[in-house]
Structures are given as structure tokens and as C-alpha cells.
Amino acid sequence: MKVIIVGGVAGGASTAARLRRMDEHAEIIMFERGPYVSFANCGLPYHIGGSIPEREKLIVTTPQTLRETLNIDARPNHEVISIDRAAKTVTVHDLKTDQTFTESYDKLVLAPGASPVVPPLPGLDLPGVFVLHNIPEMDAILAWIKEHNPRRAVVVGGGFIGLEVAENLVERGMQVSVVEMLPQVMAPFDFEMAQMIHQHLKLHHVDLHLGDGLKGVRVDADHLSVDLGSGAALPAGLVILAIGVRPENALAKAAALELGPKGHIVTNPHMQTSDPDIYAVGDAVQTTHFQTNEATSLALAGPASRQGRAAANHMAGKKSRFSGVVGTAAVKVFDLTAASTGLNSRQLEAAKLPYYSVTVHTNNHVSYYPGAAPVCLKLLYGPEGQIYGAQAIGSSGVEKRIDVLATAIRGHLTVYDLEELELSYAPPYGAPRDPVNNAGFAAANQLRGEMPLKYWSEVKNLNPEEWFLLDVRTPEELALGEIPGAVNIPLQVLRQHLGELPRGKKILVNCQSGQRSYFATRLLQQHGFEAYNLSGGFKTYAAAIENFCQSDECEKKAMSAVVSPQASESKSSQPNQGGKEYQLDACGLQCPGPVLQLYNQVKQMQEGDVVTVKATDFGFASDVGAWARSTGNTLLSLETKEGQIVARVQKGLEQAANPTSSAGSSQAREKKDLTMIVFSGDLDKALAAFIIANGFASMGQKATLFFTFWGLNILRKDVAPQVDKNVIEKMFGMMMPQGANKLSLSQMSMMGMGTRMIKEIMKEKNVASLPELIATAQKNGVRLLACQMSMDLMGIHKEELLDGVEVAGVATMAESATESNTHFFI
């Protein structure tokens, strides 16, 4: 059997290699138009940026290697220019000798790939305008950079190649603009997920021009000018077109092979074309989608390689089929990984498939092990629990979760199966409940009716006559932003405030990530309320509604320089005359941990002093700006270094030198001081009291806690000092818990077992213990008052209370309550 393969790279080379393993006696000739029979085109952007320093590493194999190891006759610089199906021959043009010859075949494999889209617009043939599809094109870009040293670059297209090129040009020190006709980058992702990518691109000073199309390129003085449909003109020293690709179908079309509606070569599951002796693989072919069984195409190396394997097996007489594509892919965007598999919302709507989705925010591994970082995972599924697709974004462990879900789709698993998956766990790698498990739990809860959901896109259209918005976060988190009209009742005190909720309305509950609001939703449902959880919480909502330079703003931004990382560092190196510099490490902490640490540090600083804070929670990148604006401080700079968020914050002087905050946001949030009466001595209620108090204190607001009756036990020292007491006082002392460590839960204490369990869970989840919360409150200036009357009745002496606790009467508490405007009773 003589087999001719047209094209190398992933599809053609895989076909040749597999066929040799199946048939030692076949004659295999591979013609490749370019100078390299197989190269890593996915690695081209990373050689431009320097991550892959050696060019030779991009060459996967050579003709000599193929000949010596597999006895394959691979001929680069040979272009097949026509096919004679009746004679079963191809005409080949030797590009080096300029000679033409014919070659016969028994089987023919077409692996011509795809070519970059270059629309018929003016100026796209100017020097300095490039596409990136192969090694010679990469070489041309590098030669231009070396000769002209451009400071600005424009990348047209926000897909995989566009973002990879943009990142690597930034790594070379250029100011980069990305132009994308769609309102988002990365079309495989749903909008709110893409918004997280937008946030990260903005953090790296990439100028986004979304919802804006390319009009043309022209020469303007000593540089290129990229004209957009909005009227914006972007100056550039380098332009890269990454608009997309189209199938190389000239050979197939001339040979009258069947083509699909978008020009792809139609194939069957064996990868045969309409001519059974001609196969086709790779980016040029039309295949089927594994889930919908509809015709589709996918220009990725993985499917191309598997298609080549299926074609080779079939030619060798094996029963082999290519079962279609799911569409699993990942992309590196600076410090983040974005990965997806299966169908997204737009595809499901186009296919008219009913679906639901859940979004969960969980860490890549347990929080107590260093380096814990959030993963945002969105799962799309059908009414019967069938898994349709998934998208995930984070700095670590993202592709692992998407690979699991891609496998689940192939195996026809459901969300109920995800609940039961037993995935590997050790502290550096995961958690007892993996993010995939958590997504399965959330989806199954929704399908069972245990967690009715609403989504970020529905919030603005909710009728206030029918809906009540409830925010169950702690007060300190409100500085990060709020849903307009939402009422804040922290989860820790929600049970005590059920009477304040309207019985005649539906209640939409939100927290920061969706977990606490789930707890609140279940609580409210069991108290007779119609409650819904906001999927993905405030994190998803806030990301989704952020505005990232639509076309009207782009025109304004095009006239001003983009702040580069180097410029940002330079500006913040001298933040204020004589100000001191501080360093703060908040790595591994979850929101609002970094913000609370920052508050404590800033409180100890003088006006004009600067603190550099590092965090691994990439949500801190948006949180720190909101916190600074709300508290009257100044965010001087914000960037990433080695996978960490690095923010420089100056105490006070807000807006004096803040390049990252928006105009009109200079007024700090109105202070809402707190007075709280703590009557209970139960552990859970004590925790709620001090979490709320610390939240107020972190925002620079006064907090006064007045402890009476059983609440006094919270303030007792663990080891009782020697004091004179009568018999009744001694009996009271023996019957009551001695200090914060001895308190038990108000419910489910189970003779102390429940209390021990909740303490272990708090430790695992990196939640501070009650003694630690008390110490933090005192450090933050929270005023702790002990009721004199209750002390007298219960036989508690001042010497038994923690240092720093004031003994006071009701009048002192009333004075504090008069001066504050937030009151709680626990």
C-alpha cells in the first residue's frame, strides 16, 4: 500500500507515525509545503516572549529522524498543487528546484491545516503588520522587533492566539492593545467568566477595545495607526492579526470533494472524505460534536492527532472511529489559567437545549497549606443532570478540574456522579471536597429543589415590589461593593432577625462566593420563606457588571498612554515626601482576610506612609481598590509578580496619586458605628458577635460590645485568679463555663462533640478561634464593656475578666448607642 500524506504538523505527522506502527510494509510519503514537516505552532508566541528561549525546541521532528526511526519519506518544501482522483495521482511542486512531478497513491490523506484570516481591509499588507501561523512568520516578527524596537503593539483578535501573543509582547516590555469585535475575549467562555479574564488583562495594563472592529491600518508619521470602527485610532509600531483561521480547502475543492457550509472538508467517522480512498484530518476537516452530533470543526492539535490515528487505523484494516469533539482547551493569561470543555451558554441556547448552571468559588487546595488560591468553576448541565460543559479560571489547578469534567462528559456522567467522584487529595494538591465535587453538590442541590438559583444577569430586572435583596456578608465585606438595594444582615445573626424579613416577597440572598448564601437560603426555606441563592455570589456579580472599555470609551483611551508596569513602579517608588515604607504578606488568605490584614497595618501607620501588600487571592486585585476608595486611602499601584497580587497603598490622601481609581469615587463610605448587646454565652453567638465587631473595626468604624448575664462568660479568663467569694458566688462560678475556650454551641452541641467538631472545621478552614477573634477585636480598638449589675448578680469580679475589659453600667452603653447608628442584640 502506497500512502501519500499532504501536510505535516499534528494531523499529517500523527497519521504517518501511526500508520507505520500498524503497517511496516506500507510506502509512506509525506509532502509539506513549508520548510518544517512538524513543528509546535502552539509554542510560537512563547518563543517571541522568551519563555521558550531556544528556537530549535519548536521543531518537533525532522525528515531525517522520520526516515531513520519510522522509514517515512518526509519532504519539506514540496507543495501538492492538484489531485487526479481517477488516475489516483497528485501533482507536486518542488519549491526549491521549481520542478513539477506526479506521484501515484493507493490512499491519500489531506492534512493541509488552516490559514490565518486576513480581511480585505486597507493597509493590512503594510510593513509591520503580521500574522502568526508558522515558524517563518514568527521569525519575521522577531526580526521586525529587533530592527525597530516597537514600544506599542496592537493585537487584533481576542482568542487563544491573540491573548497568548498579547501576553508575550507585554513580557517584552511593550504597551499592548487588544481589539476584539465581540463584547468579550475568549468566545468559548460565558460573558461573566470572560470578565474575569478582562480584569486580569487590565491588571497587566493591556488596553482592551471590546465590541469594536478593525477598519484598516495606515502609516501616520513615523508609526502605524490602527483605525477602528468606533473611530478610535491606535498608534502602533507592530500589528499582529489574530482574527481567526479558515480551512485550507483549495485542493479538496478542485478535486470536487464534498465541503461543508463553512468550507471544511466533510468526513465520516473513519475520516474518509466523499472519496473513500481520500482521507482528511486536522484543522481543515468538518467533524461532529460529541454531545449534539451536529457538524462542527475544531482547530486544535489534540483532535487533529486523534483523527490521524483513526485514519491510519482504518487504512490498516482496523475498526477505528473518531467519535467527535467536545472542545476542551486551556489558555495561559499571565498568572491565570482559563480552561473550558463542552458547550457554553450561547451554544446551548442555539441548540435549544434547556440547561442550568452553577458557579462555585473554591480554593485549589486546602487553605491551611501555603499557596492556596481560588478557582472559579462554572458547570452547565441539563434537567436530568447531564453535564453539558464547564469553564474554570484560576492561578493553579484549573486544567486538572476541566480535564476531570471533560472525562465526565465522555463517560456520560451526571452531576449526581460528580458528588460521588473520589479524587486525589493531599494538602498541597486538593481538598477532601474537590472543586469538582462542590460543583456537583451545588448542581444536584439545585435540581433537587434544595437551592433555587438566580443569576447575575437577572438581578437588575427583579421587581422590588416582588423581591427582597438580602446580603449575608460581614460588614467589612461591604466595602468591596454591594448590590444596589440589598439589605445587610450577616449570616451569623440572621436567625435573630427573621422578623425583619418580608413574608410576602421572594428573597434573593447573596454573599461573597455563594456558600454562606446557600446556608442562608436553606435556613430561610425552613422558616417558610421563598428564598433563592445568587449563583457565584457577589464575586461573579461584581465581575460581570464591570465595564471594560466598550467602543465609546476606547476612543478616549486611545489618546492617552497606557500605564506600564515599569511606570507604575516608578510612580510608587516615591509616594510621599518622608513617608515610611511597610511590607505586608497576606498570601494564602481568603477574602476578606487580605483586606482585614491591610486595615490593621494601615491603622498603625502615619498619614502618607505606604504599605506594599502581597496576596495570592486574585480577587484582591479588585477588592483593594474598592477598599481604598471606601476608607479614604490611596491605591498607588497594582500589579502581579510571580503569581502574587502586589498592591501599594498610601494611608489617606485618597485620589492624590491614584492612577487606578475612577473619577467621582473619592468620598469614603459614610461611617456606620456599631453598638452590640451580647446576652448569650453560646459559642456560635459569641463568634458572630466578634466577627461583626471586627468587620466594623476593619473599616475604621467604632464598635462597642456590652456584655450582660451569660455573655459575661465570654470575657472570663481561662484560669480564674484567687478572689474572695461567698458560697453562692462560688457555686455560680462552678456551674458557668470558664472563658471563651469552654463555651459550647447553642444547638447540636451533642454533649460537647458538636463543639469539638466545629472547632476542628474552623481550624481546617483557616477561621480564627474565638480567643483569637477577641484578641483581634481588642487590638482593633473594639470597646468591650461588662455590665456591672450582671456581674454583681452572678458573682463575677473584675479580676476574673480579660485585661482591657471595662466595667460599666447601662448609661455608658446607652451613650454609645446614641452615638452609633447600627445596633445588634445577640
Side-chain angles (χ1 to χ4, degrees):
M1 179 172 62
K2 182 178 180 180
V3 179
I4 300 293
I5 300 174
V6 181
V9 197
S14 296
T15 305
R18 177 63 178 176
L19 183 58
R20 173 57 72 222
R21 292 194 294 272
M22 294 295 98
D23 188 346
E24 173 62 23
H25 303 291
E27 181 183 358
I28 304 173
I29 303 174
M30 182 165 62
F31 294 117
E32 166 57 46
R33 178 174 55 190
Y36 304 98
V37 293
S38 186
F39 63 93
N41 51 2
C42 296
L44 301 179
Y46 300 102
H47 180 60
I48 291 176
S51 297
I52 303 175
E54 298 178 21
R55 179 179 178 277
E56 291 71 22
K57 289 188 175 180
L58 297 174
I59 301 172
V60 177
T61 190
T62 65
Q64 181 180 357
T65 301
L66 288 173
R67 186 176 299 108
E68 292 174 350
T69 59
L70 294 172
N71 191 27
I72 293 171
D73 183 4
R75 306 181 196 179
N77 299 303
H78 281 68
E79 180 180 11
V80 176
I81 57 177
S82 66
I83 303 170
D84 187 336
R85 290 170 53 188
K88 298 185 73 170
T89 62
V90 295
T91 302
V92 185
H93 180 204
D94 186 333
L95 298 176
K96 282 195 171 182
T97 65
D98 199 28
Q99 294 180 340
T100 300
F101 61 93
T102 61
E103 194 78 49
S104 64
Y105 66 83
D106 295 311
K107 302 291 183 182
L108 176 65
V109 181
L110 301 180
S115 58
V117 172
V118 180
L121 297 173
L124 299 193
D125 57 349
L126 287 171
V129 180
F130 299 91
V131 295
L132 180 60
H133 183 60
N134 54 40
I135 290 180
E137 290 163 356
M138 177 193 72
D139 292 339
I141 292 171
L142 288 171
W144 180 269
I145 292 173
K146 183 178 180 180
E147 180 180 354
H148 297 277
N149 190 28
R151 293 183 59 251
R152 294 176 180 272
V154 173
V155 177
V156 183
F160 289 91
I161 297 298
L163 294 192
E164 290 168 354
V165 169
E167 173 185 347
N168 283 282
L169 294 180
V170 169
E171 294 297 330
R172 291 189 68 101
M174 296 185 206
Q175 296 177 0
V176 178
S177 298
V178 173
V179 177
E180 171 55 56
M181 185 176 291
L182 296 175
Q184 66 172 77
V185 301
M186 295 302 296
F189 288 78
D190 289 337
F191 179 75
E192 75 276 15
M193 299 295 286
Q195 284 280 80
M196 298 180 190
I197 302 176
H198 298 159
Q199 284 181 337
H200 201 65
L201 290 168
K202 180 181 176 182
L203 176 64
H204 285 271
H205 312 287
V206 173
D207 190 20
L208 288 175
H209 298 262
L210 304 175
D212 208 351
L214 176 65
K215 188 177 179 181
V217 180
R218 56 188 167 84
V219 177
D220 186 358
D222 60 345
H223 61 268
L224 297 172
S225 180
V226 180
D227 295 328
L228 306 183
S230 64
L234 308 179
L238 172 68
V239 178
I240 307 269
L241 303 179
I243 299 171
V245 296
R246 58 168 55 97
E248 287 271 17
N249 62 8
L251 270 178
K253 187 174 183 180
L257 297 176
E258 183 182 357
L259 302 179
K262 295 184 179 180
H264 295 86
I265 305 169
V266 174
T267 58
N268 65 16
H270 307 301
M271 305 313 300
Q272 291 171 297
T273 68
S274 52
D275 184 328
D277 289 326
I278 302 178
Y279 294 74
V281 299
D283 297 354
V285 309
Q286 175 179 291
T287 182
T288 58
H289 197 284
F290 177 77
Q291 294 167 282
T292 64
N293 205 35
E294 294 179 352
T296 189
S297 60
L298 188 64
L300 289 175
S305 177
R306 294 192 298 276
Q307 290 166 1
R309 183 182 179 90
N313 285 345
H314 191 259
M315 282 185 283
K318 305 291 182 182
K319 292 182 179 181
S320 180
R321 298 170 62 89
F322 182 73
S323 60
V325 297
V326 172
T328 305
V331 63
K332 177 180 178 292
V333 185
F334 295 100
D335 312 280
L336 291 184
T337 299
S340 65
T341 188
L343 302 167
N344 59 30
S345 294
R346 293 181 300 279
Q347 292 170 315
L348 287 166
E349 289 165 4
K352 294 182 170 52
L353 291 172
Y355 72 96
Y356 305 100
S357 71
V358 290
T359 302
V360 296
H361 297 269
T362 54
N363 276 347
N364 61 332
H365 58 64
V366 290
S367 58
Y368 60 79
Y369 187 86
V375 172
C376 176
L377 175 59
K378 180 175 183 178
L379 180 68
L380 300 103
Y381 53 97
E384 304 302 319
Q386 61 271 43
I387 301 169
Y388 284 142
Q391 302 152 34
I393 296 175
S395 60
S396 178
V398 169
E399 69 287 349
K400 167 184 174 180
R401 274 73 194 200
I402 289 298
D403 286 345
V404 169
L405 291 166
T407 305
I409 291 173
R410 282 280 176 180
H412 301 287
L413 302 187
T414 69
V415 298
Y416 306 110
D417 294 312
L418 299 185
E419 294 182 291
E420 303 297 330
L421 284 185
E422 185 176 338
L423 303 174
S424 60
Y425 161 60
Y429 306 113
R433 291 170 51 150
D434 190 86
V436 172
N437 296 130
N438 287 330
F441 293 141
N445 285 339
Q446 185 270 327
L447 290 176
R448 295 184 186 113
E450 298 171 4
M451 187 180 68
L453 291 175
K454 286 291 178 180
Y455 303 98
W456 69 269
S457 56
E458 299 178 285
V459 172
K460 65 180 180 181
N461 295 322
L462 295 180
N463 185 349
E465 299 297 321
E466 301 176 6
W467 287 87
F468 179 83
L469 306 183
L470 175 63
D471 189 325
V472 297
R473 294 176 296 166
T474 58
E476 63 201 2
E477 293 172 274
L478 301 184
L480 308 180
E482 303 172 61
I483 296 176
V487 175
N488 177 231
I489 303 177
L491 174 64
Q492 293 85 349
V493 297
L494 181 58
R495 287 180 177 84
Q496 288 74 46
H497 292 267
L498 294 178
E500 302 170 19
L501 302 179
R503 287 281 177 182
K505 291 186 178 182
K506 302 173 186 176
I507 299 177
L508 177 61
V509 191
N510 85 271
C511 67
Q512 194 68 10
S513 66
Q515 184 181 45
R516 285 169 293 169
S517 51
Y518 163 58
F519 298 158
T521 300
R522 293 296 300 146
L523 185 160
L524 294 173
Q525 285 178 318
Q526 294 175 76
H527 281 276
F529 293 94
E530 185 177 353
Y532 296 76
N533 189 13
L534 179 62
S535 184
F538 185 78
K539 267 189 173 184
T540 298
Y541 172 86
I545 66 170
E546 191 168 353
N547 185 17
F548 288 99
C549 186
Q550 301 306 320
S551 58
D552 55 340
E553 294 183 353
C554 289
E555 184 172 2
K556 300 174 185 177
K557 288 193 175 185
M559 304 306 295
S560 60
V562 181
V563 179
S564 68
Q566 294 84 355
S568 180
E569 290 179 8
S570 174
K571 181 164 188 132
S572 63
S573 62
Q574 295 179 344
N576 194 47
Q577 301 161 350
K580 292 183 179 180
E581 293 275 349
Y582 295 86
Q583 302 292 322
L584 178 62
D585 188 349
C587 294
L589 297 179
Q590 301 180 57
C591 175
V595 170
L596 183 57
Q597 291 266 13
L598 177 59
Y599 164 75
N600 288 329
Q601 178 62 56
V602 170
K603 185 175 64 173
Q604 301 172 26
M605 293 160 42
Q606 300 297 315
E607 188 88 359
D609 289 351
V610 172
V611 57
T612 298
V613 54
K614 298 178 181 180
T616 49
D617 182 351
F618 275 86
F620 181 64
S622 56
D623 293 347
V624 65
W627 180 86
R629 290 190 294 272
S630 298
T631 55
N633 296 296
T634 304
L635 177 59
L636 294 175
S637 67
L638 186 64
E639 58 185 330
T640 65
K641 289 183 178 179
E642 299 177 354
Q644 297 177 349
I645 297 295
V646 182
R648 289 172 56 78
V649 177
Q650 186 174 43
K651 182 168 183 176
L653 308 177
E654 193 203 1
Q655 299 295 320
N658 189 348
T660 59
S661 62
S662 303
S665 61
S666 60
Q667 296 301 319
R669 177 186 299 275
E670 178 186 356
K671 302 300 182 186
K672 297 180 181 179
D673 297 340
L674 165 73
T675 297
M676 184 187 305
I677 298 173
V678 184
F679 179 86
S680 171
D682 296 323
L683 174 60
D684 45 336
K685 298 172 184 177
L687 287 168
F690 279 95
I691 288 172
I692 294 170
N694 280 321
F696 274 81
S698 73
M699 298 308 302
Q701 297 156 213
K702 295 179 181 178
T704 301
L705 274 60
F706 185 75
F707 296 83
T708 182
F709 283 95
W710 316 120
L712 289 169
N713 292 315
I714 302 171
L715 303 180
R716 295 174 69 191
K717 295 177 180 176
D718 291 336
V719 179
Q722 293 294 326
V723 292
D724 292 331
K725 289 190 176 187
N726 58 38
V727 175
I728 299 297
E729 290 175 338
K730 289 180 180 179
M731 290 180 63
F732 263 112
M734 292 173 60
M735 291 186 291
M736 292 187 299
Q738 183 73 43
N741 284 316
K742 299 296 183 180
L743 304 184
S744 59
L745 294 174
S746 61
Q747 300 181 43
M748 297 176 61
S749 181
M750 297 180 289
M751 300 183 67
M753 185 171 66
T755 301
R756 290 192 296 272
M757 289 172 61
I758 195 66
K759 287 182 178 181
E760 286 297 320
I761 294 172
M762 289 170 63
K763 184 177 180 181
E764 178 183 336
K765 297 295 184 182
N766 205 23
V767 176
S769 66
L770 180 56
E772 290 172 330
L773 289 171
I774 295 173
T776 300
Q778 290 182 300
K779 182 180 178 182
N780 289 343
V782 175
R783 193 180 183 193
L784 306 182
L785 304 180
C787 176
Q788 180 69 70
M789 180 197 69
S790 298
M791 289 174 62
D792 293 341
L793 290 175
M794 301 174 70
I796 297 176
H797 294 238
K798 188 177 187 306
E799 293 84 356
E800 296 179 79
L801 302 180
L802 298 171
D803 295 338
V805 175
E806 302 175 50
V807 176
V810 175
T812 303
M813 183 276 295
E815 179 185 17
S816 173
T818 301
E819 295 175 351
S820 65
N821 53 10
T822 303
H823 310 274
F824 289 132
F825 184 93
I826 294 183

